[in-house]
Amino acid sequence: MSTEGKGEATTTTASPTIPLHRQELLKWQGWGYRDSRFFINSNGLIEFSGSRYLLSGHVLPRLKDWMFNKLNSSIENYSPCVQEPNPDFIADPILNNEFISDFQSTLGTTIQYSVDKNDRLFHGHGHTLEEIWKLRHGGKFDRLPDWVVWPKQHSDVEKIVRLATKHDICLIPFGGGTSVTWALTCPTNEKRMIVSVDTSQMNKILYLDEKNLTARIQSGIIGQDLERELGKKGYCTGHEPDSMEFSSLGGWVATRASGMKKNVYGNIEDLVVHVTMVTAKGTIEKSCLGPRQSVGPDIHHFIMGSEGILGIVTEVTMKVRPLPACKKYGSIVFPDFECGVACLREIARLRSAPASIRLLDNEQFLFGQALATDNKGMLHSLVDNIKKLYITKIKGFDINRMCAATLLFEGTTNEVNQREKFVYDIAQKYNGIPAGEENGLKGYTLTFMIAYLRDIGLDYRIVAESFETSVPWDRVIDLCRNVKKRIITECEKHGVKYPPFSSCRVTQTYDAGACIYFYFVMNYNDIRPGSDPVHIYELVEQAAREEVLANGGSLSHHHGIGKIRTKWIKQAVSNLGVGTMVSIKQYLDPNNIFGSKNLIPESTESEEHLKAKL
């Protein structure tokens, strides 16, 4: 890896955490690593397996009681998933023999490819509830990729795209596979051969420029590998989405991703200096690495968020920073959610936010007690019984209204100390009480384990999902209250017998608003006969999304649109906005080579025109 800039660049290949055939390390029908999961052990308590995480190897003595009592489930509701994919449910591939012959004769010795059923299955889905449900219950995907290819460099992608264009092949880019928007599902009516272009072998840091604090990086590198390799040279990007263990740089660009530490490092659009993308018409990129340019509409801003419909991102130049000299966690408890939101709003207004500040509502605060690894939940571990008495009695905090914020400070020692004092002083104005470093550390690192909870929930007929939005500050409280209430009333409407778990947290803050994450957990046991729990969930989630929009929230803050939210895209960006997207699509990809059908609704007049043209 060069430290002298692009002119003397050398290449560092990250030792990839994820293997070429991902199913060797990762679950094929759930989230994360095969060796990491929540399960009920021989003592009847929930334990987290493996050795990769803070909770690994620990028993969580309260979690089963919370899950069974709060959600009215029971051990008798056990609903195991299938252990291996059923090959009979994986349809034979649609093959274009001319493309295959051309590929094998010109690229077959340099670019790996596969028609293996398990490779095709793994590349044909993301991680929405519907997709995981199908996998767990042996369901059949109507359409899967017919081939998977693994390019190693930009020129490989150019060659693949040229062949695809020549033979009219549908290409779907694949980064980390963590999509929660149906972005990776293949269009069911696609009659052409579909090739999944897996960028995971494009995992090199091409150069590190210490003078300009930038790094040129291949798009397939996974987040944890990128930060580890930069860290060896004393640098970081600071971009840490919840999925950073498995998601890719190219995926971050394609979805306009956001990270937990964006207050210091920025979102992906703030970090990107230069992007190279291969389209059906050729490669698109800017001619220089200037930090800002006034050359018309910024092409980066239609590449970012394009979700694979315009081309394949191959290389990205990003800002980097020296590793922070000091890192410190913290936490605060507030008497209620309103006080917590007011505090976060004041911190954002004064631009004094730590690297990460996240506010849990009371439902999530109480759930946090169930994730304790001993008999002490967060409230009990604040300090001692005297402190507990002070909070609940003397200060008058109600355990059923309290909420908590977790904090992460990064910078020089002086910067961290000053920022920490400033934040806690502001919190005091809103009756916030410091709750200790340990709780902040637990709250931050638990983020990477939360997704594993859905799998044990599904084991006991509990479905769970999250969705996000962004909203102006003056609507945060109303939106949170109304959406949580709407989830509960919609569950009643659709015959869900037991009250759902409906909660939220503020995860990112801005001058003008905040990002809100909602969590919805539902016990589908004893629903109306003949009802499909996934369909019920989708109806509830759609109603909740309508409520979000009605309360002034955005369609998405960072997950993107995929296919799951295209019905609202006109409402979000206007008919003219959608028409502009379609015009760009028509120009860059007139034959619809990148045919995932993400982002743009099929029913638009412009899309119908595109179809007719194609």
Side-chain angles (χ1 to χ4, degrees), residues 230-257:
L230 287 175
K232 291 177 181 178
K233 293 294 183 179
Y235 293 91
C236 67
T237 68
H239 189 70
E240 290 190 5
D242 295 3
S243 62
M244 73 166 294
E245 295 174 283
F246 311 110
S247 57
S248 71
L249 171 56
W252 300 344
V253 171
T255 57
R256 292 181 63 87

PDB file of all heavy atoms in Angstrom, residues 230-257:
ATOM      1  N   LEU A 230      -7.041  -0.600   6.621  1.00  0.00           N
ATOM      2  CA  LEU A 230      -6.651   0.793   6.813  1.00  0.00           C
ATOM      3  C   LEU A 230      -6.070   1.001   8.200  1.00  0.00           C
ATOM      4  O   LEU A 230      -5.105   1.757   8.389  1.00  0.00           O
ATOM      5  CB  LEU A 230      -7.851   1.718   6.599  1.00  0.00           C
ATOM      6  CG  LEU A 230      -8.329   1.929   5.165  1.00  0.00           C
ATOM      7  CD1 LEU A 230      -9.603   2.769   5.154  1.00  0.00           C
ATOM      8  CD2 LEU A 230      -7.252   2.597   4.316  1.00  0.00           C
ATOM      9  N   GLY A 231      -6.662   0.318   9.185  1.00  0.00           N
ATOM     10  CA  GLY A 231      -6.196   0.454  10.558  1.00  0.00           C
ATOM     11  C   GLY A 231      -4.750   0.037  10.735  1.00  0.00           C
ATOM     12  O   GLY A 231      -4.034   0.563  11.596  1.00  0.00           O
ATOM     13  N   LYS A 232      -4.287  -0.927   9.935  1.00  0.00           N
ATOM     14  CA  LYS A 232      -2.892  -1.370  10.025  1.00  0.00           C
ATOM     15  C   LYS A 232      -1.922  -0.241   9.670  1.00  0.00           C
ATOM     16  O   LYS A 232      -0.766  -0.254  10.100  1.00  0.00           O
ATOM     17  CB  LYS A 232      -2.666  -2.556   9.080  1.00  0.00           C
ATOM     18  CG  LYS A 232      -3.373  -3.837   9.501  1.00  0.00           C
ATOM     19  CD  LYS A 232      -3.166  -4.942   8.464  1.00  0.00           C
ATOM     20  CE  LYS A 232      -3.885  -6.218   8.865  1.00  0.00           C
ATOM     21  NZ  LYS A 232      -3.730  -7.294   7.836  1.00  0.00           N
ATOM     22  N   LYS A 233      -2.390   0.718   8.867  1.00  0.00           N
ATOM     23  CA  LYS A 233      -1.578   1.867   8.488  1.00  0.00           C
ATOM     24  C   LYS A 233      -1.929   3.119   9.295  1.00  0.00           C
ATOM     25  O   LYS A 233      -1.418   4.202   9.024  1.00  0.00           O
ATOM     26  CB  LYS A 233      -1.749   2.168   6.996  1.00  0.00           C
ATOM     27  CG  LYS A 233      -1.182   1.080   6.089  1.00  0.00           C
ATOM     28  CD  LYS A 233       0.331   0.995   6.217  1.00  0.00           C
ATOM     29  CE  LYS A 233       0.898  -0.048   5.256  1.00  0.00           C
ATOM     30  NZ  LYS A 233       2.388  -0.114   5.364  1.00  0.00           N
ATOM     31  N   GLY A 234      -2.820   2.943  10.286  1.00  0.00           N
ATOM     32  CA  GLY A 234      -3.146   4.061  11.161  1.00  0.00           C
ATOM     33  C   GLY A 234      -4.268   4.945  10.680  1.00  0.00           C
ATOM     34  O   GLY A 234      -4.399   6.090  11.128  1.00  0.00           O
ATOM     35  N   TYR A 235      -5.135   4.411   9.775  1.00  0.00           N
ATOM     36  CA  TYR A 235      -6.215   5.213   9.209  1.00  0.00           C
ATOM     37  C   TYR A 235      -7.560   4.487   9.310  1.00  0.00           C
ATOM     38  O   TYR A 235      -7.625   3.283   9.590  1.00  0.00           O
ATOM     39  CB  TYR A 235      -5.919   5.570   7.753  1.00  0.00           C
ATOM     40  CG  TYR A 235      -4.738   6.496   7.600  1.00  0.00           C
ATOM     41  CD1 TYR A 235      -3.447   5.983   7.416  1.00  0.00           C
ATOM     42  CD2 TYR A 235      -4.905   7.871   7.670  1.00  0.00           C
ATOM     43  CE1 TYR A 235      -2.354   6.837   7.308  1.00  0.00           C
ATOM     44  CE2 TYR A 235      -3.811   8.730   7.557  1.00  0.00           C
ATOM     45  CZ  TYR A 235      -2.546   8.204   7.379  1.00  0.00           C
ATOM     46  OH  TYR A 235      -1.463   9.043   7.278  1.00  0.00           O
ATOM     47  N   CYS A 236      -8.618   5.232   9.034  1.00  0.00           N
ATOM     48  CA  CYS A 236      -9.966   4.650   8.984  1.00  0.00           C
ATOM     49  C   CYS A 236     -10.828   5.522   8.088  1.00  0.00           C
ATOM     50  O   CYS A 236     -10.496   6.672   7.801  1.00  0.00           O
ATOM     51  CB  CYS A 236     -10.583   4.573  10.388  1.00  0.00           C
ATOM     52  SG  CYS A 236     -10.935   6.187  11.127  1.00  0.00           S
ATOM     53  N   THR A 237     -11.952   4.967   7.645  1.00  0.00           N
ATOM     54  CA  THR A 237     -12.968   5.796   6.986  1.00  0.00           C
ATOM     55  C   THR A 237     -13.997   6.267   8.001  1.00  0.00           C
ATOM     56  O   THR A 237     -14.652   7.285   7.796  1.00  0.00           O
ATOM     57  CB  THR A 237     -13.713   5.028   5.878  1.00  0.00           C
ATOM     58  OG1 THR A 237     -14.525   3.999   6.460  1.00  0.00           O
ATOM     59  CG2 THR A 237     -12.736   4.414   4.883  1.00  0.00           C
ATOM     60  N   GLY A 238     -14.170   5.503   9.075  1.00  0.00           N
ATOM     61  CA  GLY A 238     -15.156   5.846  10.088  1.00  0.00           C
ATOM     62  C   GLY A 238     -16.577   5.486   9.708  1.00  0.00           C
ATOM     63  O   GLY A 238     -17.514   5.790  10.448  1.00  0.00           O
ATOM     64  N   HIS A 239     -16.744   4.819   8.560  1.00  0.00           N
ATOM     65  CA  HIS A 239     -18.098   4.478   8.109  1.00  0.00           C
ATOM     66  C   HIS A 239     -18.487   3.121   8.694  1.00  0.00           C
ATOM     67  O   HIS A 239     -17.936   2.093   8.310  1.00  0.00           O
ATOM     68  CB  HIS A 239     -18.150   4.439   6.585  1.00  0.00           C
ATOM     69  CG  HIS A 239     -19.530   4.306   6.032  1.00  0.00           C
ATOM     70  ND1 HIS A 239     -20.461   5.312   6.105  1.00  0.00           N
ATOM     71  CD2 HIS A 239     -20.147   3.278   5.404  1.00  0.00           C
ATOM     72  CE1 HIS A 239     -21.583   4.922   5.539  1.00  0.00           C
ATOM     73  NE2 HIS A 239     -21.419   3.690   5.109  1.00  0.00           N
ATOM     74  N   GLU A 240     -19.421   3.129   9.615  1.00  0.00           N
ATOM     75  CA  GLU A 240     -19.824   1.899  10.304  1.00  0.00           C
ATOM     76  C   GLU A 240     -21.335   1.732  10.281  1.00  0.00           C
ATOM     77  O   GLU A 240     -22.024   2.015  11.266  1.00  0.00           O
ATOM     78  CB  GLU A 240     -19.325   1.895  11.751  1.00  0.00           C
ATOM     79  CG  GLU A 240     -17.830   1.740  11.892  1.00  0.00           C
ATOM     80  CD  GLU A 240     -17.386   1.495  13.334  1.00  0.00           C
ATOM     81  OE1 GLU A 240     -18.258   1.341  14.219  1.00  0.00           O
ATOM     82  OE2 GLU A 240     -16.169   1.484  13.576  1.00  0.00           O
ATOM     83  N   PRO A 241     -21.903   1.275   9.168  1.00  0.00           N
ATOM     84  CA  PRO A 241     -23.320   0.888   9.192  1.00  0.00           C
ATOM     85  C   PRO A 241     -23.503  -0.351  10.048  1.00  0.00           C
ATOM     86  O   PRO A 241     -22.540  -1.071  10.335  1.00  0.00           O
ATOM     87  CB  PRO A 241     -23.620   0.608   7.715  1.00  0.00           C
ATOM     88  CG  PRO A 241     -22.303   0.254   7.116  1.00  0.00           C
ATOM     89  CD  PRO A 241     -21.269   1.045   7.866  1.00  0.00           C
ATOM     90  N   ASP A 242     -24.727  -0.609  10.455  1.00  0.00           N
ATOM     91  CA  ASP A 242     -24.995  -1.788  11.291  1.00  0.00           C
ATOM     92  C   ASP A 242     -24.525  -3.070  10.616  1.00  0.00           C
ATOM     93  O   ASP A 242     -24.178  -4.038  11.287  1.00  0.00           O
ATOM     94  CB  ASP A 242     -26.501  -1.909  11.571  1.00  0.00           C
ATOM     95  CG  ASP A 242     -27.034  -0.748  12.401  1.00  0.00           C
ATOM     96  OD1 ASP A 242     -26.254   0.169  12.712  1.00  0.00           O
ATOM     97  OD2 ASP A 242     -28.229  -0.760  12.737  1.00  0.00           O
ATOM     98  N   SER A 243     -24.520  -3.070   9.290  1.00  0.00           N
ATOM     99  CA  SER A 243     -24.199  -4.275   8.522  1.00  0.00           C
ATOM    100  C   SER A 243     -22.734  -4.337   8.112  1.00  0.00           C
ATOM    101  O   SER A 243     -22.370  -5.140   7.247  1.00  0.00           O
ATOM    102  CB  SER A 243     -25.057  -4.319   7.255  1.00  0.00           C
ATOM    103  OG  SER A 243     -24.768  -3.183   6.437  1.00  0.00           O
ATOM    104  N   MET A 244     -21.858  -3.536   8.695  1.00  0.00           N
ATOM    105  CA  MET A 244     -20.500  -3.382   8.165  1.00  0.00           C
ATOM    106  C   MET A 244     -19.696  -4.681   8.151  1.00  0.00           C
ATOM    107  O   MET A 244     -18.744  -4.812   7.392  1.00  0.00           O
ATOM    108  CB  MET A 244     -19.731  -2.319   8.937  1.00  0.00           C
ATOM    109  CG  MET A 244     -19.306  -2.719  10.332  1.00  0.00           C
ATOM    110  SD  MET A 244     -18.084  -1.591  11.029  1.00  0.00           S
ATOM    111  CE  MET A 244     -16.666  -1.849   9.980  1.00  0.00           C
ATOM    112  N   GLU A 245     -20.077  -5.664   8.949  1.00  0.00           N
ATOM    113  CA  GLU A 245     -19.391  -6.959   8.914  1.00  0.00           C
ATOM    114  C   GLU A 245     -19.561  -7.663   7.577  1.00  0.00           C
ATOM    115  O   GLU A 245     -18.717  -8.475   7.187  1.00  0.00           O
ATOM    116  CB  GLU A 245     -19.950  -7.873  10.000  1.00  0.00           C
ATOM    117  CG  GLU A 245     -19.710  -7.436  11.406  1.00  0.00           C
ATOM    118  CD  GLU A 245     -20.440  -8.357  12.359  1.00  0.00           C
ATOM    119  OE1 GLU A 245     -21.674  -8.218  12.488  1.00  0.00           O
ATOM    120  OE2 GLU A 245     -19.793  -9.232  12.942  1.00  0.00           O
ATOM    121  N   PHE A 246     -20.665  -7.378   6.891  1.00  0.00           N
ATOM    122  CA  PHE A 246     -21.015  -8.149   5.697  1.00  0.00           C
ATOM    123  C   PHE A 246     -21.284  -7.293   4.463  1.00  0.00           C
ATOM    124  O   PHE A 246     -21.253  -7.807   3.346  1.00  0.00           O
ATOM    125  CB  PHE A 246     -22.249  -9.017   5.983  1.00  0.00           C
ATOM    126  CG  PHE A 246     -22.143  -9.815   7.251  1.00  0.00           C
ATOM    127  CD1 PHE A 246     -22.920  -9.516   8.351  1.00  0.00           C
ATOM    128  CD2 PHE A 246     -21.226 -10.849   7.357  1.00  0.00           C
ATOM    129  CE1 PHE A 246     -22.813 -10.248   9.532  1.00  0.00           C
ATOM    130  CE2 PHE A 246     -21.106 -11.586   8.527  1.00  0.00           C
ATOM    131  CZ  PHE A 246     -21.903 -11.279   9.623  1.00  0.00           C
ATOM    132  N   SER A 247     -21.586  -6.017   4.628  1.00  0.00           N
ATOM    133  CA  SER A 247     -21.929  -5.176   3.482  1.00  0.00           C
ATOM    134  C   SER A 247     -20.664  -4.638   2.822  1.00  0.00           C
ATOM    135  O   SER A 247     -19.598  -4.561   3.429  1.00  0.00           O
ATOM    136  CB  SER A 247     -22.840  -4.022   3.912  1.00  0.00           C
ATOM    137  OG  SER A 247     -22.229  -3.237   4.929  1.00  0.00           O
ATOM    138  N   SER A 248     -20.797  -4.238   1.559  1.00  0.00           N
ATOM    139  CA  SER A 248     -19.639  -3.849   0.754  1.00  0.00           C
ATOM    140  C   SER A 248     -19.634  -2.355   0.468  1.00  0.00           C
ATOM    141  O   SER A 248     -20.669  -1.679   0.521  1.00  0.00           O
ATOM    142  CB  SER A 248     -19.638  -4.615  -0.570  1.00  0.00           C
ATOM    143  OG  SER A 248     -20.683  -4.148  -1.417  1.00  0.00           O
ATOM    144  N   LEU A 249     -18.461  -1.865   0.123  1.00  0.00           N
ATOM    145  CA  LEU A 249     -18.309  -0.465  -0.250  1.00  0.00           C
ATOM    146  C   LEU A 249     -19.205  -0.110  -1.435  1.00  0.00           C
ATOM    147  O   LEU A 249     -19.868   0.931  -1.432  1.00  0.00           O
ATOM    148  CB  LEU A 249     -16.838  -0.186  -0.579  1.00  0.00           C
ATOM    149  CG  LEU A 249     -16.484   1.172  -1.187  1.00  0.00           C
ATOM    150  CD1 LEU A 249     -16.950   2.317  -0.304  1.00  0.00           C
ATOM    151  CD2 LEU A 249     -14.976   1.263  -1.434  1.00  0.00           C
ATOM    152  N   GLY A 250     -19.227  -0.963  -2.449  1.00  0.00           N
ATOM    153  CA  GLY A 250     -20.083  -0.693  -3.600  1.00  0.00           C
ATOM    154  C   GLY A 250     -21.549  -0.640  -3.225  1.00  0.00           C
ATOM    155  O   GLY A 250     -22.309   0.180  -3.751  1.00  0.00           O
ATOM    156  N   GLY A 251     -21.952  -1.500  -2.304  1.00  0.00           N
ATOM    157  CA  GLY A 251     -23.330  -1.478  -1.824  1.00  0.00           C
ATOM    158  C   GLY A 251     -23.648  -0.201  -1.076  1.00  0.00           C
ATOM    159  O   GLY A 251     -24.759   0.334  -1.179  1.00  0.00           O
ATOM    160  N   TRP A 252     -22.682   0.300  -0.306  1.00  0.00           N
ATOM    161  CA  TRP A 252     -22.902   1.570   0.400  1.00  0.00           C
ATOM    162  C   TRP A 252     -23.168   2.698  -0.595  1.00  0.00           C
ATOM    163  O   TRP A 252     -24.066   3.514  -0.391  1.00  0.00           O
ATOM    164  CB  TRP A 252     -21.682   1.937   1.245  1.00  0.00           C
ATOM    165  CG  TRP A 252     -21.303   0.943   2.301  1.00  0.00           C
ATOM    166  CD1 TRP A 252     -22.087  -0.073   2.792  1.00  0.00           C
ATOM    167  CD2 TRP A 252     -20.047   0.863   2.991  1.00  0.00           C
ATOM    168  NE1 TRP A 252     -21.386  -0.782   3.750  1.00  0.00           N
ATOM    169  CE2 TRP A 252     -20.140  -0.233   3.889  1.00  0.00           C
ATOM    170  CE3 TRP A 252     -18.876   1.596   2.931  1.00  0.00           C
ATOM    171  CZ2 TRP A 252     -19.089  -0.592   4.717  1.00  0.00           C
ATOM    172  CZ3 TRP A 252     -17.818   1.243   3.759  1.00  0.00           C
ATOM    173  CH2 TRP A 252     -17.931   0.163   4.650  1.00  0.00           C
ATOM    174  N   VAL A 253     -22.372   2.718  -1.672  1.00  0.00           N
ATOM    175  CA  VAL A 253     -22.552   3.764  -2.679  1.00  0.00           C
ATOM    176  C   VAL A 253     -23.894   3.596  -3.390  1.00  0.00           C
ATOM    177  O   VAL A 253     -24.635   4.556  -3.573  1.00  0.00           O
ATOM    178  CB  VAL A 253     -21.390   3.727  -3.694  1.00  0.00           C
ATOM    179  CG1 VAL A 253     -21.669   4.665  -4.874  1.00  0.00           C
ATOM    180  CG2 VAL A 253     -20.074   4.111  -3.021  1.00  0.00           C
ATOM    181  N   ALA A 254     -24.216   2.365  -3.746  1.00  0.00           N
ATOM    182  CA  ALA A 254     -25.433   2.103  -4.526  1.00  0.00           C
ATOM    183  C   ALA A 254     -26.708   2.392  -3.755  1.00  0.00           C
ATOM    184  O   ALA A 254     -27.763   2.606  -4.361  1.00  0.00           O
ATOM    185  CB  ALA A 254     -25.436   0.659  -5.020  1.00  0.00           C
ATOM    186  N   THR A 255     -26.636   2.398  -2.415  1.00  0.00           N
ATOM    187  CA  THR A 255     -27.838   2.631  -1.608  1.00  0.00           C
ATOM    188  C   THR A 255     -27.803   3.942  -0.826  1.00  0.00           C
ATOM    189  O   THR A 255     -28.712   4.211  -0.059  1.00  0.00           O
ATOM    190  CB  THR A 255     -28.045   1.483  -0.605  1.00  0.00           C
ATOM    191  OG1 THR A 255     -26.881   1.361   0.222  1.00  0.00           O
ATOM    192  CG2 THR A 255     -28.304   0.173  -1.318  1.00  0.00           C
ATOM    193  N   ARG A 256     -26.752   4.739  -0.989  1.00  0.00           N
ATOM    194  CA  ARG A 256     -26.586   5.974  -0.195  1.00  0.00           C
ATOM    195  C   ARG A 256     -26.615   5.646   1.292  1.00  0.00           C
ATOM    196  O   ARG A 256     -27.442   6.136   2.055  1.00  0.00           O
ATOM    197  CB  ARG A 256     -27.650   7.013  -0.536  1.00  0.00           C
ATOM    198  CG  ARG A 256     -27.529   7.588  -1.929  1.00  0.00           C
ATOM    199  CD  ARG A 256     -28.590   8.644  -2.208  1.00  0.00           C
ATOM    200  NE  ARG A 256     -28.473   9.793  -1.330  1.00  0.00           N
ATOM    201  CZ  ARG A 256     -27.700  10.856  -1.559  1.00  0.00           C
ATOM    202  NH1 ARG A 256     -26.967  10.921  -2.654  1.00  0.00           N
ATOM    203  NH2 ARG A 256     -27.669  11.851  -0.701  1.00  0.00           N
ATOM    204  N   ALA A 257     -25.668   4.853   1.716  1.00  0.00           N
ATOM    205  CA  ALA A 257     -25.659   4.329   3.073  1.00  0.00           C
ATOM    206  C   ALA A 257     -25.300   5.397   4.104  1.00  0.00           C
ATOM    207  O   ALA A 257     -24.719   6.437   3.796  1.00  0.00           O
ATOM    208  CB  ALA A 257     -24.668   3.163   3.166  1.00  0.00           C
TER     209      ALA A 257
END
